[in-house]
């Protein structure tokens, strides 16, 4: 029978999840309600009894801790997407073939990135800058958003010339200024793995379980990749 | 451009309405007491009233989440009484908003009551008005401008604030997703067009209401003290 | 009876008031600015928290060692020295405020009558901040009356009013005092008001009672000249309306003869009290003739009181009553005025002090 | 000269005032409550924005068709009807507020003198809300004086004060008027204050000038009896101090003879103006003897004015001056008083109205 | 437990201090005008003043980011004048805070000025006080209680609110990372112990300041209008 589930979704995956939900509903009849927030906030809420059935986190750390603390159902944690970090500018001529050079020659006032302490994309961006040996040189030009959405806004509004943002945002159909993009080589940073987990509240919720499985279906993987994420091979 | 879902707006209005009503009910006696007491504890209470303001909303929200969760004494009592958790519910939002907006109600009211002073109240007592009667029929109308300030600040602030509400309520569409959270979410998910539309609706709506309130107020000029 | 035994300390001032005020008629509280008149009224009303001691009215203990009756339950009407109208209500609203609460307390205040008596009809829709000083004071008086009080406290209620207005309002206060028999405590620094309205008088100095007693006694006591001011000394004489003459004069009978006054609005037989100021009485050893003054009363000198100045106060017995005359020492010496000497008092100007409460029933 | 030609419309009231007030001495504005006295002062001060017309003072156009002098540049001292002390300042602070700004404007206000004259020494540290009504009024007067004004507007400044205080403050106002020669516009509803202090008088009714002119003229005009009230009618008579007698009396010369008064504090030769109330004068065809009244002046009747009531006002020429007597019609008929008849005026009580400004220099 | 970095606290205090000072400077004439004008535009201006409140802080921050960016007229002018961008700078934070907290300054002040009324100002004019002098030496002290409310609400709100500040300031440690952001970060990263410590420091500090302010204020009771 069709059930309904409340799924907590990390903000960076919100747009993708919003496209997945109707397709999932069409296929299974289950109703999904999405609640969107930062992973840290969602974690805190779950530990304080939030009525979420499943969590689509922006990292692996928070789902792992939820499992450890007994707020999630063992054996349900899986990576549903891998993030792609890109260097983006709304100016089509700003970034050339090699974004590393664009960063290195430094003719920009501000580089936006997410806060490495808060957002996995921020952590990746910091690792990539370290890898390129640019972190110290650029440190007084870096401005930080608390999440990738804010970081993107800083660039989109023209206040920062460049931003290290999620590929999914740069590629989003909602982005009216595709501009120029340089995908940061995945070797420059640890993989940005986003895990999903079934929460204790939703242990018996068929819809939530079904959605977690659905994330690994071909149809879903096609949508997820289209939004600029990587997916792991199905085991 | 699709027509945005207006449920969050209605929810916000309900929330702000409830919060403002409760704030007036709780804030009035507190402000009254502060305005008239000679207790040495007065500055301490005044400071405590203003204190929630200095904490970042999400952080306050976090502490409220702890304080109101069913495992806390308060949250537990609420669950025992109503069968529902206080967190992630509309009731929880109201409690959180009341706490956070308290200074916006208490301070203007206290200041208004202090300016009204004792003279008109003494006159009313000599016209057989009981203390409650004096408060309702003399002090309150004379403090009308203070009430207006309190209501506008509390209501608008509850509409606009989302940090506390997001933390305590959890952004559940149809239940706790108020308009501020909805707009916030649109901005965060690059849905700028929707954000603009919702913001414009909220601004125009608020503007019309506020102009109405102020224009009405203007026709009833209030004079302080006794003539 | 309003029994007071109270003490209130301010940094530079102490009110120390022990006196019983009569429960009928109007008691005037008289004294220089800052002597504590307003503070006394506030204590009676229960508005001064710092006051210690007892206040009893009509058998009820309003303030004492045990419980205190809160101000709004004392049934007091209070005309404050400043008008204290409610700025958020119109004049009509201010009056209705009082009347409505009086009705709830079981009284039947007559709004129409109060509005007429204080001539407020044209002001009813006005806001207090658009009223003149005197207009505010009139509204405040009407408002206090509409509480249908058991006791009326009036703090210089007529100070902001011109003579014409005062003359129009005073009869109304007299009616309250006599017909509604509401005891009134009345602060004033105008002795002609006091003489006209008051039965009893309390003279205050620096927070204490200097002297208290019936008005007639105090005003005709030569020893009070310093406290009251010599120009204000005078006797109060009971009189009864005899007849109204066609030329507009009213004939009054006093114990020592008869007096003629410009038309008095009172039926023959009405008891009145006349105020005859000491400085307006001329004495003559022989009965003078051919004077424009109609009122000449024969009497016998009972006391000649010399002060420090050039004036003396002569007290004489006229019929069964006392009369005071203030004349120069030179005249007294020249005319050989001593106790026991018979002489005539020529009274130019007489004013009606008040209707005599005690004999009202005989009308 | 203070030239006024102004109009101000309120919903129920119109002020329509065209009159030139003299630039010297004290002008009393007199009229019933609500007739527009306070509004007039406010217009002069520039506080009523709705006022149209012209206000000129001493050659400067304060208000007119072109530019308007803002209130604070007019150099006006204003004693408001309500005291309007600043609640956030002590009494001393209130006074200092005025004195400091006057000094900045180049004047030398004498704080010590003002404090002494209004007896404020003990009140200096007090907050306005701890003062009695009369105390507030005194502070307000002192504060207005400390602005060292070019023009003083006083709105019932003594209404809240007792007779003793009034008597103490009036000489101070007189000194301002005469020695500091500050023109004063003075609102009062107390005619004895007006008679004592004023040179010029404006009678108002319902926002308009009813009558204006020198005080002596208005108060002795029998036609003003209705407007002023018959008890307030009286003549002002110039006099000069002749001699001080040992028995405490002062002898004064008037054009028609001499008068004896209780000691007057003025050197022989000083010019004074006496106020003789009409209702205190007795007339006699023959010269009476053996009366306690010392002051008997012979004169000739010039006018007998009958009103509607039982009284008549008799005007008689005494020397070069006029005297009024108010007597009953009956007496006038019995005594056969007509213009041209010689008779004696018996004056019991005389009060000093004011020092005569015009002849001050001849002291 | 390590001693937390207090730089964000100092930055917050600096920001709130500047914002409050500027708010008083800008808010006073605006409140004064609103209290005394008879213009028909008054309710409209009053409504506009309150309007920033109804937008969620981050959203307002987003719009400010647009409005203050170097490519905007305002941001461009600033850059031409100072050589620096307004966004991501301390100056930008101040501008944003001022805008957002404006109603907390204007409304209590307006209400206080209205209660003072014209009578004491007229009295002051008759004591040769110029309009500015009247304002400074009569209206302001009589409106002291309104100033207190305005200062406490504006200051505390600027300390606590961080949505706008975060967006416009870019969270640059030492430059635009204020304490509210720092506490928020600790909560988001599950660093609860640090969050508690910082919150406690902020609360205790604010409490002491507020009690001091209120206790001082109490010793100068203010009476409305004229006596
Ligand atoms: N709250 C207070 N604190 C200190 N002193 C006060 C206070 N209220 C009144 N006083 C003082 O007490 C004395 C009596 O004041 P009160 O108002 O009773 O005088 P009053 O007789 O009514 O004078 P007036 O005729 O001027 O109205 C005055 O000296 C006054 O200054
Ligand atoms: N703001 C106003 N709006 C409407 N009417 C007003 C206003 N101010 C004064 N009035 C009216 O104008 C008239 C004159 O008032 P004003 O205060 O000048 O009287 P006044 O002669 O000073 O009286 P009083 O002796 O009672 O002080 C009164 O009828 C009053 O009600
Ligand atoms: Mg008094
Ligand atoms: Mg007046």
């Amino acid at each position: 029978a069709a059930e309904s589930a409340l799924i907590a979704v990390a903000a960076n995956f919100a747009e993708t999840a919003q496209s997945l939900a109707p397709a999932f509903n069409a296929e299974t009849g289950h109703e999904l309600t999405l609640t969107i927030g930062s992973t840290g906030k969602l974690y805190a809420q779950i530990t304080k009894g939030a009525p979420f059935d499943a969590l689509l986190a922006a990292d692996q750390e928070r789902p792992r801790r939820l499992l450890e603390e007994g707020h999630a159902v063992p054996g349900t944690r899986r990576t549903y997407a891998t993030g792609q970090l890109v260097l983006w500018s709304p100016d089509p001529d700003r970034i050339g073939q090699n974004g590393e050079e664009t960063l290195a020659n430094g003719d920009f006032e501000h580089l936006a990135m997410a806060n490495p302490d808060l957002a996995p994309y921020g952590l990746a961006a910091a690792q990539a800058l370290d890898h390129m040996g640019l972190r110290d040189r650029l440190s007084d030009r870096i401005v930080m958003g608390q999440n990738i959405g804010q970081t993107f806004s800083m660039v989109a509004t023209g206040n920062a010339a460049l931003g290290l943002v999620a590929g999914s945002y740069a590629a989003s159909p909602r982005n009216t200024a595709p501009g120029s993009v340089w995908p940061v080589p995945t070797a420059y940073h640890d993989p940005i793995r986003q895990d999903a987990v079934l929460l204790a509240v939703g242990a018996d919720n068929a819809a939530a379980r079904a959605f977690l499985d659905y994330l690994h279906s071909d149809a879903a993987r096609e949508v997820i990749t289209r939004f600029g994420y990587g997916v792991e091979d199905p085991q | 451009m699709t027509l945005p879902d207006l449920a969050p707006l209605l929810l916000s209005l309900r929330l702000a309405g409830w919060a403002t009503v409760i704030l007036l009910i709780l804030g009035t006696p507190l402000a009254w007491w502060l305005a008239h007491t000679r207790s040495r504890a007065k500055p301490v209470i005044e400071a405590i009233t203003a204190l929630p303001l200095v904490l970042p909303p999400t952080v306050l929200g976090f502490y409220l989440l702890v304080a109101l969760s069913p495992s806390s004494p308060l949250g537990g009592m609420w669950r025992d009484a109503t069968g529902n958790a206080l967190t992630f519910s509309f009731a929880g939002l109201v409690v959180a908003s009341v706490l956070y907006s308290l200074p916006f109600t208490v301070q203007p009211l206290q200041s208004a009551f202090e300016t009204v002073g004792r003279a008109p109240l003494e006159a009313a007592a000599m016209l057989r008005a009981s203390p409650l009667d004096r408060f309702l029929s003399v002090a309150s109308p004379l403090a009308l401008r203070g009430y207006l300030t309190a209501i506008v600040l509390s209501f608008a602030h509850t509409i606009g604030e989302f940090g506390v509400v997001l933390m305590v309520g959890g952004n559940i569409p149809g239940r706790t997703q108020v308009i501020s959270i909805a707009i916030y979410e649109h901005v965060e998910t690059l849905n700028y067009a929707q954000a603009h539309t919702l913001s414009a609706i909220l601004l125009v709506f608020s503007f019309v209401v506020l102009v109405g309130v102020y224009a009405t107020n203007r026709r009833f000029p209030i004079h302080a003290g006794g003539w | 009876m309003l029994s007071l035994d109270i003490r209130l300390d301010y940094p530079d001032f102490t009110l120390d008031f022990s006196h019983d005020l009569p429960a009928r008629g109007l008691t005037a509280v008289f004294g220089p600015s800052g002597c504590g008149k307003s503070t006394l009224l506030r204590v009676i009303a229960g508005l001064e928290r710092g006051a210690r001691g007892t206040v009893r009215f009509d058998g009820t203990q309003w303030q004492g060692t045990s419980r205190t009756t809160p101000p709004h339950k004392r049934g007091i009407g209070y005309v404050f020295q400043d008008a204290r109208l409610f700025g958020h209500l119109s004049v009509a609203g201010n009056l209705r405020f009082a009347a409505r609460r009086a009705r709830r307390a079981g009284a039947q205040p007559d709004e129409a009558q109060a509005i007429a008596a204080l001539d407020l009809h044209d002001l009813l829709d006005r806001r207090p901040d658009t009223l003149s000083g005197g207009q505010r004071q009139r509204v405040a008086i009407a408002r206090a009356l509409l509480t249908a009080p058991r006791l009326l406290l009036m703090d210089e209620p007529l100070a902001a009013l011109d003579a014409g207005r005062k003359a129009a309002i005073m009869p109304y206060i007299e009616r309250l005092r006599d017909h509604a028999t509401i005891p009134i405590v009345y602060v004033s620094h105008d002795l002609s008001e006091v003489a006209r309205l008051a039965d009893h008088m309390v003279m205050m100095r620096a927070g204490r009672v200097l002297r208290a007693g019936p008005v007639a006694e105090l005003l005709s006591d030569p020893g009070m000249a310093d406290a009251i001011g010599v120009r204000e000394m005078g006797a109060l004489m009971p009189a009864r309306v005899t007849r109204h003459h066609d030329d507009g004069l009213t004939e009054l009978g006093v114990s020592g003869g008869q007096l003629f006054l410009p038309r008095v609005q009172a039926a023959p037989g009405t008891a009145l009290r006349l105020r005859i100021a000491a400085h307006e009485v001329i004495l003559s050893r022989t009965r003078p003739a051919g004077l424009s003054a109609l009122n000449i009363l024969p009497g016998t000198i009972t006391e000649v009181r010399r002060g420090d100045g050039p004036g003396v106060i002569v007290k004489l017995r006229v019929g069964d009553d006392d009369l005071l005359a203030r004349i120069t020492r030179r005249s007294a010496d020249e005319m050989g005025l001593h106790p026991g000497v018979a002489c005539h008092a020529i009274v130019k100007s007489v004013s009606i002090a008040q209707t005599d409460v005690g004999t009202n029933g005989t009308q």
Side-chain angles (χ1 to χ4, degrees), chain C residues 13-343:
Chain C
F13 173 83
T14 299
L15 180 75
D16 190 350
F17 195 100
S18 261
H19 186 67
D20 291 352
L21 307 180
R24 292 198 59 172
L26 188 147
T27 302
V29 178
F30 186 84
S33 170
C35 71
K37 307 181 291 296
S38 300
T39 308
L40 174 67
L41 296 202
R42 290 176 56 80
V43 171
I44 296 174
L47 299 175
E48 289 286 347
R49 298 186 184 193
R52 283 160 300 130
T54 52
V55 179
R56 314 184 108 264
F57 176 73
D58 230 2
T60 330
Q61 176 144 328
W62 276 351
Q63 180 177 337
T65 39
S66 52
R67 44 172 223 96
T68 295
T69 311
H72 67 283
K73 292 200 175 143
R74 296 190 182 188
I76 290 176
Y78 196 145
V79 181
F80 288 89
Q81 196 168 2
D82 46 340
R84 300 209 183 176
L85 302 184
F86 299 132
H88 63 295
L89 298 176
S90 66
V91 168
N94 270 276
L95 300 182
R96 219 176 302 123
F97 190 103
R100 197 174 282 163
R101 283 160 185 80
R103 244 172 247 125
R104 259 181 241 151
Q108 264 122 34
D110 187 340
E111 281 183 79
Q113 195 199 357
I115 290 170
L118 290 143
D119 192 17
L120 300 178
H121 207 83
D122 294 342
L123 303 178
L124 288 177
D125 293 334
R126 298 272 288 275
R127 297 244 147 207
D129 62 342
T130 69
L131 297 180
S132 82
Q135 288 166 342
R136 270 173 216 164
Q137 203 59 43
R138 273 153 57 206
V139 178
I141 295 171
R143 193 179 64 169
L145 298 178
L146 285 174
T147 57
R150 297 165 60 200
L151 170 65
L152 194 53
L153 306 178
M154 306 181 92
D155 200 346
E156 307 202 6
L158 305 181
L161 297 175
D162 55 292
R165 281 284 171 205
K166 277 189 197 176
I169 296 175
M170 278 206 246
Y172 188 66
I173 297 179
E174 289 173 332
R175 280 202 296 284
L176 283 172
R177 182 194 63 195
D178 301 338
H179 299 285
T181 59
I182 302 169
I184 304 175
V185 182
Y186 189 101
V187 170
S188 174
H189 51 242
D190 180 347
L191 258 183
S192 70
E193 260 172 66
V194 171
R196 163 136 186 207
L197 296 173
D199 305 284
H200 194 85
M201 184 167 163
V202 177
M203 305 261 323
M204 289 182 70
R205 267 296 177 292
R208 292 170 172 278
V209 178
L210 181 72
R211 183 79 192 274
V215 181
E217 195 177 287
L218 262 66
L219 290 187
S220 62
D221 180 347
M224 293 299 292
D226 282 348
I228 295 181
V230 280
R231 285 190 68 86
E232 303 291 352
M233 292 297 302
L236 290 181
M237 188 175 273
R240 191 171 292 272
V241 177
T242 315
R243 194 146 70 93
H244 296 298
H245 291 260
D246 291 342
D247 58 1
L249 294 179
T250 298
E251 187 180 337
L252 300 162
V254 295
S255 63
Q258 85 265 39
L259 294 171
F260 292 90
L261 258 71
R263 171 76 84 228
V264 175
Q265 297 299 346
T270 309
L272 298 175
R273 196 182 286 174
L274 306 179
R275 169 166 153 80
I276 301 172
H279 68 90
E280 294 187 343
V281 175
I282 293 174
L283 299 179
S284 172
R285 291 288 296 258
T286 55
R287 184 175 180 91
L291 293 185
S292 65
L294 291 173
N295 301 318
I296 298 172
L297 296 171
T300 312
I301 294 175
T302 54
E303 185 180 348
V304 177
R305 190 174 186 114
R306 288 163 188 262
D308 300 331
V312 299
I313 289 175
V314 179
K315 191 168 183 175
L316 59 166
R317 194 80 188 156
V318 174
D320 303 331
D321 301 297
D322 287 331
L323 194 66
L324 294 190
R326 184 165 166 268
I327 62 176
T328 58
R329 210 192 304 164
R330 177 180 296 191
S331 296
D333 292 344
E334 278 175 5
M335 292 168 65
L337 301 183
H338 301 291
V341 171
C343 72

Side-chain angles (χ1 to χ4, degrees), chain A residues 45-57:
Chain A
Q45 289 172 333
I46 290 161
T47 60
K48 303 298 177 232
F52 307 148
D53 297 305
L55 168 69
L56 273 55

Side-chain angles (χ1 to χ4, degrees), chain A residues 38-41 43-44 47-48 61-62 65 109-110 115 117-118 139-147 149-150 153-154 156-160:
Chain A
S38 79
T39 306
K41 214 169 288 159
Y43 167 85
T47 60
K48 303 298 177 232
E61 165 74 4
R62 260 64 74 102
R65 282 182 68 154
E109 202 172 349
H110 293 295
N115 187 334
D117 293 333
L118 300 182
S139 69
D140 59 349
R141 300 190 201 173
I142 291 174
V143 296
M144 289 186 290
Q146 59 172 314
N147 57 40
Q150 283 186 0
S153 299
M154 290 170 173
T157 56
N159 285 284

Side-chain angles (χ1 to χ4, degrees), chain B residues 5-26:
Chain B
D5 180 11
L6 288 185
L9 175 60
L10 297 180
L11 193 65
S12 276
L13 293 179
R14 254 180 71 210
L15 173 62
W18 274 106
T20 306
V21 167
I22 293 175
L23 277 167
L24 290 178
I25 294 172
L26 296 180

